[in-house]
Amino acid sequence: KNEVEQSPQNLTAQEGEFITINCSYSVGISALHWLQQHPGGGIVSLFMLSSGKKKHGRLIATINIQEKHSSLHITASHPRDSAVYICAVSHIGGADGLTFGKGTHLIIQP
Amino acid sequence: EADIYQTPRYLVIGTGKKITLECSQTMGHDKMYWYQQDPGMELHLIHYSYGVNSTEKGDLSSESTVSRIRTEHFPLTLESARPSHTSQYLCASTWGPEQFFGPGTRLTVL
């Protein structure tokens, strides 16, 4: 079992729909990261959070430390949101670097 | 905003060749990382560095080697490329818990 599990693996939705991507982890973490990867391969950091909720434009990220669960929401989705969304965690006291989920491949159709 | 550069962006090379993937950052970050991402799979940490003259192996075993002679430069070398090395290689640096990623090098070994 991976330390970081994401669901769904693939998601196709219509423009304007509310999108939710889930992430569960099984280790103690110092922070959880939501990343966006476009087809060219480059990765952009969307959020880094250790508690509560963060909002940036149409994106909202929440984390529940007790339940070891985080969600990424996209409101009023748009075709340009199509990308792979990756959940990753920084371990407490463990090896350096991030541990990644497999990613959620999101397609928003016009 | 952190600037992390990787060259080349794409490389197609024959088996047995020696290759060096370049990674540079201009923000003076001490911690730098190399991740490997096979097609359709999650990223895995293969090397990291805490600063000049510091290099450590990551979670995923790799035949590559790295060096850190200058703070801003963290090159990755494969002495003899093989088809199994075909993958995307992403470089990153850290400021506190936040990671900044380079655009990646997509390597194909024939």
Side-chain angles (χ1 to χ4, degrees):
Chain A
K1 187 178 187 299
N2 289 343
E3 293 180 343
V4 181
E5 297 276 358
Q6 283 186 242
S7 64
Q9 289 188 10
N10 297 283
L11 178 58
T12 300
Q14 294 299 119
E15 183 173 356
E17 286 189 39
F18 181 82
I19 303 299
T20 295
I21 300 170
N22 295 300
C23 176
S24 297
Y25 54 93
S26 58
V27 295
I29 67 169
S30 56
L32 184 141
H33 305 252
W34 281 103
L35 310 168
Q36 182 189 56
Q37 186 173 32
H38 279 283
I43 293 179
V44 174
S45 177
L46 299 175
F47 295 103
M48 180 190 59
L49 63 167
S50 55
S51 65
K53 176 180 175 178
K54 288 189 176 181
K55 185 176 188 292
H56 185 253
R58 295 180 294 106
L59 301 178
I60 303 166
T62 64
I63 188 168
N64 185 317
I65 297 296
Q66 286 73 32
E67 295 186 4
K68 291 186 165 63
H69 181 269
S70 175
S71 293
L72 176 69
H73 305 285
I74 304 174
T75 62
S77 59
H78 190 276
R80 65 175 175 266
D81 297 326
S82 299
V84 177
Y85 292 85
I86 302 170
C87 175
V89 299
S90 307
H91 290 246
I92 291 177
D96 215 335
L98 300 180
T99 299
F100 297 82
K102 291 183 184 294
T104 294
H105 189 190
L106 175 66
I107 297 174
I108 304 296
Q109 295 178 334
Chain B
E1 183 178 321
D3 293 319
I4 301 185
Y5 306 97
Q6 288 187 244
T7 58
R9 291 292 312 279
Y10 303 92
L11 179 61
V12 180
I13 202 162
T15 296
K17 299 291 186 184
K18 178 180 178 179
I19 59 171
T20 297
L21 308 184
E22 302 288 349
C23 174
S24 297
Q25 50 96 4
T26 60
M27 300 305 292
H29 294 169
D30 286 326
K31 289 186 177 181
M32 296 188 72
Y33 307 83
W34 277 102
Y35 296 97
Q36 183 176 342
Q37 185 180 31
D38 291 336
M41 302 297 289
E42 67 267 42
L43 288 87
H44 289 282
L45 179 69
I46 52 174
H47 298 284
Y48 61 99
S49 168
Y50 290 131
V52 172
N53 294 326
S54 157
T55 61
E56 304 286 345
K57 290 192 177 294
D59 304 324
L60 182 68
S61 176
S62 174
E63 293 169 347
S64 59
T65 59
V66 292
S67 62
R68 192 85 182 278
I69 298 173
R70 303 199 313 268
T71 298
E72 62 271 21
H73 196 213
F74 190 37
L76 181 146
T77 298
L78 278 165
E79 290 293 333
S80 180
R82 295 208 302 269
S84 60
H85 297 139
T86 294
S87 190
Q88 176 162 254
Y89 295 84
L90 287 127
C91 180
S93 68
T94 298
W95 182 253
E98 190 168 1
Q99 291 226 342
F100 301 90
F101 289 86
T105 294
R106 195 172 294 276
L107 173 66
T108 301
V109 184
L110 303 176

